[in-house]
Amino acid sequence: MQHVYACHLRFEGDPAECLPRARALTRLHVAEPYGRWPDDRPPNRDGMWHPRPTTSIRWRNLDDPEAGRLWEVSVEHAHRRDPSVRWAVLYQVGADADAAFAYVRRSLRSTTGVVTAPGSAEALPPGVVASLVHHLPVLDAGRRLTAGPWTAVRRDAGALATLLTHPGRQLPVVAVSHTEGGDGLDPERLAARLAGLAHVVFLAPPAAAELAGLVGEDVVPAGGEVRLWWPGWLPGETGGTHRWHLWELRPGQTGLEWPVLAELYATAALRLDVPPLARRLEAAAARRRIAEIEAKAASSERTDVQMLESWEADLVALEEARLEAAVATDELERVRTELRELTVSFSARLGDAVERARSEAAAPPPAGAPTTMAQAIARAAAECRHLVFLPEAHQSAARSPFVRPHDVYADLRRLDEVAARWQRDEIGAGFTAACLEAGLPWVSDISTTAKTMFRADYERTYEGRRILLGPHLRYAANVPPDRHCRVYCHLDRERRVVVVGHAGVHLRDAGNR
């Protein structure tokens, strides 16, 4: 995925007032191309919407009394000129202990995986950014941002010089100089497209002359030049310091706007990461669920399979949150320690609980059910349109003595149904959650030991490339080969199919060498 635009706005003012207004403006912007937000899908509940066959919109709400609140919307839609890529736009509106904020990022995602000529990345920023800047207070170096240009006259030269040299400035300043005859850049349009990313100044000749006496004549644009000053610039610096940039507009020249925009969009996409609030809230929610499950487990004499599977899903979510946001907060390092301790106690109990529950509920296989693992995999391969079975899956199944092939066959049919929903964008809570909801003995990944020490056991060739098996169906643990089984898979996220690469004995990991 290639990020081509990003903007992070922090609002000055009461978060209780700024947050609802920012949410409302974002919701109106997202729904505008399709008429209005659907009445049967309230934005304050997690949901999904397909206003067009090539467009998907998902949103979720995260809330924690201590960490903050967040509303996140993800929009994917087709590229108008290149069917091999899709646009993906992420919107976040949230509030933490410090302030309310909005974050917008636009990206291109390949749909083919083929290394070919790239699609055009020339894209206008989402219009909601200019609307947010216009309606809500956003300051940089003590100056409020606007969606229009600052037309600087002679008396503004001192204020402009102060802005250029302000040590707390976090955004660039773009100055458009006067061009004889009116040709050149349109400051109004340029400012609207750089709203939230830069201070755009239209520099009248008297202001340019006054500014030259304050910061130096050689860095003040004139006669059609466009000057950019990055944060941290000081008078006397040369172009070699990379703190300023100059574009010169020759008489009659057009098309200068896009190089200016491209320079700033690319820089913003690189520098402005997704705020860490979402991962903090996910980690807080996972900790709450784990605490509830631990309390339930402590009060129960019998280990419950569904409870342990829910526990596993939360542990995985917590690990993902830690990996993505550990650099942003020391708090998640403590969560990582808790995770290790919980995982040790969990892994030993899950296999016994699953095996016991399956054994207690076991019924004679239905008439016509497969009686060997080879039959189970062969029938599933013939019937499941959303599963891809590699040769190694059939080979391992032929060697497996597992005594419940009918359970594996039935679970693969259910897994095919989950994969079908995945292709139709009908899974909102994630693939693992959908598998557990379907009653599958699904584990979202293999251990770190398996990935490092025994990686070769899990590698396969799929469509000419090497893949690593990870997610799997898990049948018992620490029991003889005829009573345990693993069906290791790989999720092809481009085609949205499940690749089955092994169906048989437990491959090597920390507890099975």
Side-chain angles (χ1 to χ4, degrees), residues 1 15 23 36 44 112 123 158 166 169 190 212 224 230 275 291 298 306 308 333 415 431 454 458-459 472 510-511 513:
M1 180 177 286
R23 281 186 55 149
R36 56 177 294 178
N44 60 343
T112 63
H166 196 293
R169 179 162 63 91
L190 183 66
W230 296 109
Q306 185 177 5
L308 289 176
E333 188 59 35
L415 181 60
F431 197 88
F454 307 109
Y458 297 86
E459 287 186 331
H472 55 279
R513 305 191 184 203

Side-chain angles (χ1 to χ4, degrees), residues 3 38 40 42 60-61 68 72 119 156 181 208 254-256 295 316 326 361 396 420 425:
H3 305 313
D40 59 341
R60 60 174 181 163
N61 295 267
E72 182 181 86
D156 297 320
T254 59
L256 182 61
V316 170
S396 55
D425 280 335

Side-chain angles (χ1 to χ4, degrees), residues 438-500:
L440 293 171
W442 184 258
V443 181
S444 63
D445 205 356
I446 55 178
S447 68
T448 302
T449 302
K451 291 181 179 179
T452 54
M453 295 181 62
F454 307 109
R455 186 181 186 87
D457 292 7
Y458 297 86
E459 287 186 331
R460 299 290 186 271
T461 298
Y462 165 62
E463 295 190 341
R465 58 189 174 90
R466 297 296 285 174
I467 61 172
L468 185 68
L469 305 179
H472 55 279
L473 297 171
R474 185 181 196 274
Y475 302 90
N478 303 318
V479 292
D482 63 333
R483 295 184 57 201
H484 85 260
C485 179
R486 296 289 185 275
V487 180
Y488 291 101
C489 306
H490 169 80
L491 301 185
D492 182 343
R493 299 187 183 277
E494 291 291 334
R495 294 177 53 196
R496 293 201 176 183
V497 296
V498 178
V499 181
V500 181

Side-chain angles (χ1 to χ4, degrees), residues 58 72 160 171 190 225 265 329 421 436 472 492 497:
R58 298 182 179 86
E72 182 181 86
L160 179 53
L171 297 177
L190 183 66
E225 293 176 340
Y265 288 174
T329 173
R421 292 172 52 209
L436 296 176
H472 55 279
D492 182 343
V497 296

Side-chain angles (χ1 to χ4, degrees), residues 175-503:
V176 180
S177 60
H178 176 72
T179 306
E180 294 295 336
D183 294 330
L185 289 178
D186 179 355
E188 292 283 348
R189 186 169 63 179
L190 183 66
R193 295 182 175 181
L194 290 178
L197 290 183
H199 306 266
V200 176
V201 183
F202 177 65
L203 204 57
E210 189 74 17
L211 182 64
L214 298 173
V215 299
E217 184 177 355
D218 58 332
V219 297
V220 176
E225 293 176 340
V226 179
R227 179 77 68 177
L228 182 151
W229 292 274
W230 296 109
W233 177 84
L234 292 173
E237 291 186 339
T238 65
T241 62
H242 304 292
R243 296 286 179 84
W244 57 267
H245 198 107
L246 174 68
W247 293 273
E248 182 178 356
L249 184 66
R250 296 183 296 275
Q253 178 185 1
T254 59
L256 182 61
E257 180 181 280
W258 176 246
V260 178
L261 296 176
E263 178 86 12
L264 286 165
Y265 288 174
T267 303
L270 171 67
R271 299 289 187 183
L272 299 177
D273 289 334
V274 178
L277 180 60
R279 291 307 179 194
R280 291 175 183 167
L281 292 171
E282 290 170 351
R287 283 197 298 269
R288 289 197 301 270
R289 291 192 297 268
I290 289 170
E292 293 172 359
I293 293 171
E294 284 185 309
K296 181 179 178 182
S299 62
S300 174
E301 295 182 356
R302 182 180 180 276
T303 302
D304 182 78
V305 175
Q306 185 177 5
M307 177 187 70
L308 289 176
E309 290 176 339
S310 299
W311 191 2
E312 179 191 33
D314 286 326
L315 290 172
V316 170
L318 194 55
E319 174 68 358
E320 291 174 350
R322 185 204 62 77
L323 289 174
E324 294 191 25
V327 296
T329 173
D330 293 337
E331 173 63 13
L332 287 184
E333 188 59 35
R334 184 179 65 82
V335 174
R336 183 181 187 181
T337 302
E338 294 178 0
L339 174 66
R340 292 195 194 100
E341 297 172 355
L342 290 167
T343 303
V344 170
S345 60
F346 160 77
S347 59
R349 298 168 69 185
L350 177 63
D352 293 340
V354 171
E355 176 63 19
R356 182 169 59 251
R358 289 265 178 163
S359 299
E360 292 173 354
T371 58
T372 67
M373 282 293 293
Q375 292 177 4
I377 298 304
R379 286 183 55 176
E383 299 170 7
C384 299
R385 296 188 300 111
H386 305 91
L387 307 184
V388 177
F389 290 82
L390 300 181
E392 292 89 342
H394 294 276
Q395 295 164 7
S396 55
R399 298 189 298 268
S400 173
F402 189 47
V403 296
R404 298 207 313 270
H406 53 283
D407 284 345
V408 175
Y409 168 71
D411 286 344
L412 288 171
R413 293 290 301 270
R414 283 197 289 270
L415 181 60
D416 183 60
E417 294 172 0
V418 173
R421 292 172 52 209
W422 187 29
Q423 284 194 357
R424 296 193 299 266
D425 280 335
E426 294 177 357
I427 295 177
F431 197 88
T432 294
C435 289
L436 296 176
E437 183 180 343
L440 293 171
W442 184 258
V443 181
S444 63
D445 205 356
I446 55 178
S447 68
T448 302
T449 302
K451 291 181 179 179
T452 54
M453 295 181 62
F454 307 109
R455 186 181 186 87
D457 292 7
Y458 297 86
E459 287 186 331
R460 299 290 186 271
T461 298
Y462 165 62
E463 295 190 341
R465 58 189 174 90
R466 297 296 285 174
I467 61 172
L468 185 68
L469 305 179
H472 55 279
L473 297 171
R474 185 181 196 274
Y475 302 90
N478 303 318
V479 292
D482 63 333
R483 295 184 57 201
H484 85 260
C485 179
R486 296 289 185 275
V487 180
Y488 291 101
C489 306
H490 169 80
L491 301 185
D492 182 343
R493 299 187 183 277
E494 291 291 334
R495 294 177 53 196
R496 293 201 176 183
V497 296
V498 178
V499 181
V500 181
H502 176 91

